Amino acid sequence: MPRKPQKTDSDQAKMNKSSEKNASHKSIQTYWDALSHNERVRVICGLVLWTVTFLVSVSVISFFLTGKEDASLVELIHTERLSQMPSFHNWLGLPGAVVSRAIIDGCFGLFSILFLVMGTVYGLKIINPKVNVHGLKLFFCSAFLMLWGAIACGFVQLFVGEELYFRLGGAFGNWVATLGTNYMHAFCMGVLIVMTLVIFLIIADKHFVEKVQYMWQRMICSLHRRKQDESVAVQGEPDDNQGAITIKLDVTGNRDTPEANTDENKTAEGVTIEIVGNDQPETPETKNNEVTPEPEVEPQNPVLDITTPTKETIQGEAIHEPVEDMGPYDPRKDLENYQFPPLSLLKVYDNETAPVIDPEEQQANANRIVQTLRNYDVEIESIKATVGPTVTLYEVVPKAGTRISKIQSLENDIMLSLSAIGIRIIAPMPGKGTVGIEVPNEKPQVVSMHSVIASKRFQEESKMKLPVAIGRTITNEVFTFDLAKTPHLLVAGATGQGKSVGLNAIIASLIYKKHPAELKFVLVDPKMVEFSIYKPLIRHYMAAMPDQEDRDIIITDCQKVINTLNSLVIEMEDRYSLLADANCRNLEDYNDKFNSRHLNPTKDVENVVTHKILHHKFMPYLVIVIDEYGDFIMQAGKEVERPIQRIAQKARAVGMHMILATQRPDVKIVTGTIKANIPTRIAFRTQSVVDSRTVLDAKGADQLIGKGDMLYSGGGNLTRIQCAFIDTPEVEALVEHVSQQQHFLEPYQLPEYVPEGQEDTVQPGSVDTKRLDPMFADVARYVVSKQEGSTSRLQRAFEIGYNRAGKLSDQLEAVGIVGPNKGPKGRDVLIQDLESLEQLLQQYGCN
């Protein structure tokens, strides 16, 4: 057995030295953070910077007035003793003369004044960090202007050749200008200087080009007006009717030239509309009798003055259009490198795009149907077969005078003659004058998930908000529906009939079509094995409550289901509050308005029920999938049914859609309220006709053949579909691909729900310090330095969700940093200085 390598003394010394270095660095960082958040330190630093800037400004101003007399004296500083030097004329004496000459003549010339501008602005920024000044942008713009201005001034002085007591571009500008003119022509040097400034202005100001275009158009228009005024002055005063313009529009499409307004202009070919505009004031005479120009007088065409309109408010202030500045908001921007799953992850079956037709089988079945009907004195005129993946539809046209109810009563006799598992008679076929008889195929065909996802109908679908490709109909067409318009779905069927596969097909369809930023799932699985495969998608497609562990992202416990459903109800109410504030009726309109940047994400929106402060944001669709919800109904009854009913009744408009699945479709599970609010239902094979009627309000589900054979009820019609088959390895491959993609830092956060009786306020010292938020220390320093304990302020400052910000506020209250919540007024900060805060943080082990 190999021996474990032992650490030498030198290795131990290196480790000790490294740990000491890290500790020292950490202590310096902590000290620096404490100083930067100390208001007194900031004021002192700002005042020092202002004082230095003021003194230098005085010396520079004096330099322009007395610098010429001091120029020769400054040169004698190194050769003469200070005691023998004559007095300087600069207002600050010798230091002012030296400093001002070094800044102006020794650096960047006249543009060195920008140093003083930066000193003044940065001093203000240090004292009051709330000042809306972008420090980095100010630095780079000032630096460029100093460099460019020094070169331009040096070039001008070099070109003009005028001698001054200082260099206009300073030492730097004079050096660059001299170097440039030695290697190129002065004209080229001037062009480069001008173009460099233009490029800088284009980069610094997004609207620079628009402003130049606007000024150019104004100049052209002014020149046109000047020419027009000159022509009017030469021609004299215009006639009374010279300002009248008559434009004739013919409905037939003919456009006539301006001419007199007479009744003869009304032709039989079309209606002529005349638009008369006269610059002369309206009088009673002209109101009753219009004045028209003489036919021989040709009116002058006025010069068209086109001015680019500017958007203004009623008060005259320019309207701010954020879309023009930043462009529309893209919800996919955070995960812009996300790659949708490829079709190669799904299994391809033989003949998956077309059913296998056996003419002998279809002909034999048709003969048996005809013979059975004749045995009971039912004659038919024709019969037609449509072959589907698992079922063939035979459409018969009975002779006149045949009662359809007689054909329906022969369902069992036809089943016996065909030796079929189950047949379904549709009498009559909707929209047709036929009776349909659905007969299972002897060799059913597998409808693969690949065939429906790769279909042109699904791939090119763009109108549906939540498109779902569920399978193929009897006519072998891919069947799709929009879950957003459903708006909720009830899935029922006996055990082993394909219900779980159908749910996986729905989830897979949505993952193939929707980006993680646009869709979130809440998966509930009491059996703990159906949805566990989707756990790796926690930071892509999952929504979770605060403090929910990653391993519990698939909800299995009944009490957690109750809490999650009530949390979803709170989420629904929060979304309605945001929609109401935005004057939107549904989630699509709201997100469009947010993406066009017509909603302010920093605006406080209060939920009138909970008094919680919300902020506008892009809201993804929420799809809640509850497998075997009947188990939860049996365990908790109304505690589960009540929030389900509220979500089913109201959640459609805010983009929340629920899918309920059960294998026990009795009236205790599928209640009247559930059915009333979930009109769209899917029924796999049921055990009895009673269960079929409970789910679909019609029989037929009991005659399905199983293995994905289902009936879809939506819009008042029943459609028989063979559900697409997606196997476990395919789901695993799909999940593996998505889990390897770029993801969010945490799941989509649902609101916190506190059960009744557990609303006790947080008491100081009751928080487990081992579970404090990782951002707790930084948030505490921020709150104390700003003396503001608002939860919404924490959201904006640290760019976190409301739930996490609320949790941090509770922890701050628990350790005694802030007081209790006062609603919209926020919380009182109980600690006034950072020194006391650091002592408190050390007690709780926070550095």
Side-chain angles (χ1 to χ4, degrees):
M1 183 176 179
R3 298 180 57 189
K4 185 177 181 180
Q6 302 293 327
K7 295 182 180 179
T8 62
D9 295 340
S10 60
D11 294 337
Q12 187 65 33
K14 291 180 180 179
M15 292 180 62
N16 295 337
K17 189 174 182 179
S18 177
S19 61
E20 292 176 358
K21 184 177 180 180
N22 293 335
S24 176
H25 176 73
K26 189 174 183 180
S27 62
I28 294 175
Q29 181 67 29
T30 302
Y31 182 73
W32 172 254
D33 292 339
L35 285 179
S36 62
H37 289 90
N38 193 308
E39 186 175 2
R40 290 180 296 175
V41 174
R42 293 200 312 268
V43 172
I44 292 174
C45 294
L47 290 177
V48 170
L49 182 57
W50 269 354
T51 303
V52 173
T53 303
F54 174 75
L55 294 177
V56 174
S57 301
V58 172
S59 66
V60 169
I61 295 173
S62 179
F63 174 81
F64 292 114
L65 302 176
T66 62
K68 187 174 183 179
E69 291 82 359
D70 292 341
S72 59
L73 299 178
V74 173
E75 296 176 355
L76 297 177
I77 292 178
H78 299 289
T79 59
E80 300 288 342
R81 293 182 179 180
L82 296 178
S83 59
Q84 299 177 354
M85 291 290 296
S87 59
F88 284 83
H89 297 82
N90 192 282
W91 296 342
L92 297 183
L94 173 60
V98 174
V99 170
S100 60
R101 187 172 184 83
I103 292 177
I104 301 299
D105 186 69
C107 291
F108 304 105
L110 296 175
F111 280 79
S112 298
I113 299 176
L114 291 174
F115 278 126
L116 308 178
V117 176
M118 285 194 294
T120 304
V121 175
Y122 284 135
L124 180 62
K125 181 73 173 178
I126 292 174
I127 295 176
N128 186 9
K130 296 182 180 179
V131 175
N132 188 17
V133 175
H134 197 293
L136 195 60
K137 183 177 181 180
L138 174 64
F139 172 78
F140 282 112
C141 291
S142 300
F144 172 82
L145 291 176
M146 280 192 292
L147 297 175
W148 180 88
I151 297 173
C153 291
F155 175 75
V156 171
Q157 188 175 23
L158 189 65
F159 186 75
V160 175
E162 185 177 354
E163 294 292 337
L164 297 174
Y165 63 92
F166 70 96
R167 291 166 287 192
L168 294 177
F172 173 78
N174 183 266
W175 174 72
V176 175
T178 304
L179 186 65
T181 52
N182 288 339
Y183 288 94
M184 68 179 69
H185 195 274
F187 176 77
C188 295
M189 184 74 176
V191 171
L192 286 177
I193 293 175
V194 173
M195 293 308 299
T196 304
L197 178 61
V198 173
I199 294 174
F200 166 76
L201 293 175
I202 294 175
I203 296 174
D205 187 0
K206 296 181 180 179
H207 303 285
F208 176 75
V209 177
E210 299 175 4
K211 294 176 181 177
V212 172
Q213 293 175 347
Y214 176 74
M215 293 175 61
W216 175 258
Q217 292 175 355
R218 291 295 300 271
M219 183 179 67
I220 296 298
C221 292
S222 63
L223 292 176
H224 278 297
R225 282 196 294 268
R226 185 177 302 174
K227 291 181 180 179
Q228 182 182 2
D229 295 340
E230 292 176 356
S231 63
V232 171
V234 172
Q235 295 175 5
E237 294 296 330
D239 295 335
D240 292 339
N241 298 324
Q242 192 172 357
I245 305 172
T246 303
I247 302 175
K248 299 173 63 177
L249 301 176
D250 197 334
V251 175
T252 60
N254 299 325
R255 180 168 180 172
D256 299 332
T257 56
E259 53 184 326
N261 180 20
T262 62
D263 295 337
E264 296 177 356
N265 293 332
K266 299 180 180 179
T267 63
E269 298 176 355
V271 179
T272 301
I273 304 175
E274 297 183 345
I275 304 176
V276 180
N278 199 323
D279 292 338
Q280 300 298 324
E282 187 179 39
T283 62
E285 291 78 14
T286 60
K287 184 175 181 181
N288 298 324
N289 301 313
E290 288 187 2
V291 180
T292 59
E294 296 294 335
E296 64 274 11
V297 178
E298 184 176 354
Q300 286 189 344
N301 294 329
V303 178
L304 181 61
D305 185 4
I306 302 178
T307 303
T308 303
T310 57
K311 297 182 179 180
E312 293 183 349
T313 60
I314 297 177
Q315 292 81 7
E317 298 177 354
I319 296 178
H320 179 64
E321 291 289 348
V323 178
E324 298 179 1
D325 299 337
M326 300 177 288
Y329 175 78
D330 183 8
R332 300 187 178 187
K333 185 67 174 179
D334 292 338
L335 300 186
E336 58 183 352
N337 297 323
Y338 175 83
Q339 299 292 328
F340 281 87
L343 294 174
S344 59
L345 300 175
L346 302 176
K347 184 179 179 180
V348 180
Y349 292 81
D350 296 334
N351 301 320
E352 65 175 15
T353 59
V356 178
I357 299 177
D358 186 352
E360 296 181 358
E361 177 188 349
Q362 272 78 49
Q363 186 62 49
N365 288 338
N367 294 337
R368 293 190 186 99
I369 292 173
V370 173
Q371 186 61 40
T372 303
L373 294 176
R374 283 178 179 174
N375 291 340
Y376 293 93
D377 299 329
V378 177
E379 296 294 334
I380 63 173
E381 295 181 352
S382 63
I383 184 170
K384 181 180 68 173
T386 302
V387 182
T390 58
V391 175
T392 299
L393 172 64
Y394 296 90
E395 295 183 64
V396 298
V397 179
K399 285 188 176 181
T402 304
R403 296 177 63 89
I404 293 180
S405 60
K406 190 173 183 179
I407 300 178
Q408 290 178 316
S409 64
L410 298 176
E411 181 177 3
N412 293 332
D413 299 283
I414 297 174
M415 187 187 308
L416 178 63
S417 65
L418 296 174
S419 301
I421 299 175
I423 67 170
R424 178 169 170 261
I425 296 180
I426 310 172
M429 293 284 293
K432 298 181 180 180
T434 61
V435 175
I437 303 175
E438 297 174 346
V439 180
N441 297 335
E442 290 185 3
K443 296 180 180 179
Q445 180 186 2
V446 175
V447 176
S448 67
M449 196 68 197
H450 178 272
S451 67
V452 297
I453 294 294
S455 65
K456 183 178 180 180
R457 182 170 186 175
F458 182 76
Q459 290 293 325
E460 296 183 357
E461 176 57 54
S462 59
K463 296 182 179 180
M464 295 184 181
K465 303 301 181 181
L466 293 175
V468 175
I470 193 66
R472 291 183 180 270
T473 63
I474 289 180
T475 58
N476 203 48
E477 296 178 355
V478 175
F479 186 84
T480 61
F481 66 91
D482 189 358
L483 184 61
K485 292 184 178 180
T486 305
H488 309 289
L489 186 62
L490 174 63
V491 182
T495 303
Q497 302 305 315
K499 184 172 73 289
S500 297
V501 174
L503 295 178
N504 287 331
I506 294 174
I507 296 173
S509 299
L510 295 174
I511 291 177
Y512 263 99
K513 206 68 174 177
K514 304 302 291 185
H515 190 273
E518 302 166 340
L519 172 66
K520 301 298 177 183
F521 289 102
V522 175
L523 302 181
V524 180
D525 178 19
K527 293 182 287 189
M528 298 183 288
V529 293
E530 295 296 342
F531 293 151
S532 59
I533 196 171
Y534 295 106
K535 283 185 179 180
L537 305 184
I538 179 173
R539 288 173 178 82
H540 290 88
Y541 284 100
M542 295 301 176
M545 292 182 63
D547 297 333
Q548 186 172 347
E549 300 291 340
D550 291 358
R551 63 177 181 270
D552 297 330
I553 192 64
I554 308 299
I555 306 167
T556 59
D557 181 70
C558 184
Q559 184 58 46
K560 292 181 179 178
V561 171
I562 297 173
N563 294 342
T564 302
L565 289 175
N566 284 281
S567 175
L568 289 169
V569 172
I570 299 175
E571 172 77 10
M572 177 182 69
E573 299 296 345
D574 289 348
R575 291 190 172 200
Y576 269 111
S577 298
L578 293 175
L579 262 65
D581 183 77
N583 295 322
C584 297
R585 299 183 61 183
N586 53 56
L587 184 71
E588 293 80 16
D589 295 342
Y590 175 87
N591 282 338
D592 290 343
K593 204 168 186 178
F594 183 84
N595 292 342
S596 59
R597 301 191 186 275
H598 290 145
L599 298 177
N600 184 3
T602 62
K603 178 183 177 181
D604 291 347
V605 180
E606 182 181 0
N607 187 323
V608 296
V609 178
T610 62
H611 302 290
K612 182 169 62 175
I613 301 301
L614 308 171
H615 296 94
H616 289 294
K617 61 181 179 180
F618 179 87
M619 292 187 290
Y621 288 97
L622 273 176
V623 176
I624 305 104
V625 185
I626 306 179
D627 190 13
E628 199 45 63
Y629 84 101
D631 286 350
F632 299 119
I633 296 292
M634 298 299 292
Q635 293 182 52
K638 294 296 182 180
E639 290 186 84
V640 173
E641 187 177 5
R642 191 179 298 110
I644 288 178
Q645 291 177 359
R646 291 197 62 189
I647 294 173
Q649 290 172 349
K650 294 180 56 178
R652 172 184 181 176
V654 293
M656 298 171 61
H657 307 280
M658 181 173 290
I659 301 176
L660 300 178
T662 181
Q663 63 182 2
R664 295 183 295 180
D666 55 60
V667 293
K668 295 182 180 180
I669 305 301
V670 185
T671 62
T673 305
I674 294 294
K675 292 174 64 176
N677 293 286
I678 306 181
T680 306
R681 304 156 201 168
I682 290 178
F684 292 88
R685 186 179 183 181
T686 59
Q687 294 180 349
S688 65
V689 67
V690 176
D691 292 343
S692 176
R693 293 187 182 277
T694 301
V695 178
L696 302 175
D697 294 328
K699 65 177 184 177
D702 56 311
Q703 297 293 342
L704 299 176
I705 63 175
K707 297 183 179 180
D709 190 17
M710 69 181 196
L711 290 174
Y712 177 89
S713 174
N717 297 323
L718 282 179
T719 306
R720 192 165 185 174
I721 304 169
Q722 177 59 41
C723 181
F725 178 70
I726 180 169
D727 204 0
T728 301
E730 297 176 80
V731 179
E732 291 176 345
L734 176 63
V735 171
E736 176 66 19
H737 171 83
V738 175
S739 63
Q740 299 298 323
Q741 300 299 311
Q742 185 182 12
H743 59 78
F744 295 102
L745 297 179
E746 58 183 5
Y748 180 83
Q749 293 293 300
L750 297 175
E752 184 177 10
Y753 169 72
V754 180
E756 295 183 4
Q758 301 181 16
E759 303 91 346
D760 296 337
T761 57
V762 181
Q763 299 298 329
S766 63
V767 172
D768 184 3
T769 57
K770 295 181 180 180
R771 300 189 61 184
L772 289 176
D773 192 284
M775 297 176 61
F776 179 78
D778 294 334
V779 172
R781 295 188 182 100
Y782 176 83
V783 169
V784 173
S785 62
K786 299 293 185 181
Q787 289 295 300
E788 294 182 4
S790 171
T791 302
S792 59
R793 185 64 181 267
L794 296 182
Q795 284 184 259
R796 295 192 294 268
F798 293 91
E799 297 182 352
I800 57 178
Y802 180 84
N803 298 324
R804 189 176 185 183
K807 239 0 187 181
L808 283 164
S809 297
D810 292 339
Q811 293 176 358
L812 293 172
E813 179 187 354
V815 300
I817 297 177
V818 298
N821 187 13
K822 294 184 177 181
K825 297 181 179 180
R827 299 170 182 260
D828 295 331
V829 181
L830 306 179
I831 295 181
Q832 303 301 321
D833 57 86
L834 289 172
E835 290 79 1
S836 303
L837 174 64
E838 294 298 332
Q839 297 177 3
L840 181 62
L841 292 178
Q842 290 179 2
Q843 296 178 7
Y844 284 90
C846 299
N847 294 323

